[in-house]
Amino acid sequence: MSRRILLIDDEEAISIIVTATLKVTAGWQVLSTTSGTEGIAIARAEQPDAILLDVSMPKRDGTEIFQALQAEPIAQKIPVIFLTAKARDSEQRLLKALGVDGLILKPFNPETLATQIKTLLHWSE
């Protein structure tokens, strides 16, 4: 089954790597935006299978975007995985306490990204 993933990340290089990696390794479609506000609108309109959300974003950080998604009846059911370069245990615990479905640390290994997502979301295919 082809999954649709929404990537919300302000770094163009990350967007290129994630899009290419998930398409090649898993056959998934990646919707991508650098704007949190646009990401919320895409989530509402497209209802992807999952959202990869950067924590460190300009204007609205990932935690604010996550909370806005949780306030949307349609979007709150979409699993969210944070992408973060913040590797300290205390920060990771804080992010997990928000109720996200997972955390992937940057830099991540492109070859195992799809597997990490499948594992975090308990997808069997």
Side-chain angles (χ1 to χ4, degrees):
M1 177 167 77
S2 180
R3 300 279 187 177
R4 292 181 330 130
I5 308 296
L6 171 58
L7 172 65
I8 305 172
D9 195 310
D10 62 313
E11 292 181 58
E12 189 176 345
I14 295 290
S15 177
I16 291 167
I17 291 167
V18 169
T19 301
T21 296
L22 295 182
K23 183 176 182 180
V24 170
T25 63
W28 296 345
Q29 177 188 2
V30 178
L31 310 167
S32 181
T33 182
T34 58
S35 158
T37 303
E38 189 176 301
I40 294 165
I42 293 170
R44 198 181 305 127
E46 298 290 331
Q47 298 178 35
D49 295 298
I51 297 170
L52 298 179
L53 176 57
D54 185 20
V55 173
S56 300
M57 299 269 291
K59 297 180 186 162
R60 297 171 83 180
D61 72 11
T63 57
E64 290 175 52
I65 296 164
F66 176 74
Q67 289 167 336
L69 286 164
Q70 292 304 294
E72 294 275 337
I74 292 173
Q76 67 184 202
K77 295 175 180 67
I78 303 168
V80 176
I81 296 172
F82 273 145
L83 294 174
T84 184
K86 298 180 178 183
R88 292 209 328 250
D89 287 342
S90 60
E91 290 164 322
Q92 288 183 37
R93 279 194 302 276
L94 181 66
L95 293 172
K96 288 178 183 173
L98 288 172
V100 296
D101 296 273
L103 196 61
I104 294 177
L105 297 179
K106 292 179 183 178
F108 52 83
N109 180 344
E111 292 177 17
T112 60
L113 182 60
T115 302
Q116 279 184 281
I117 294 168
K118 287 179 191 177
T119 300
L120 288 169
L121 300 181
H122 310 289
W123 290 350
S124 56
E125 89 300 337

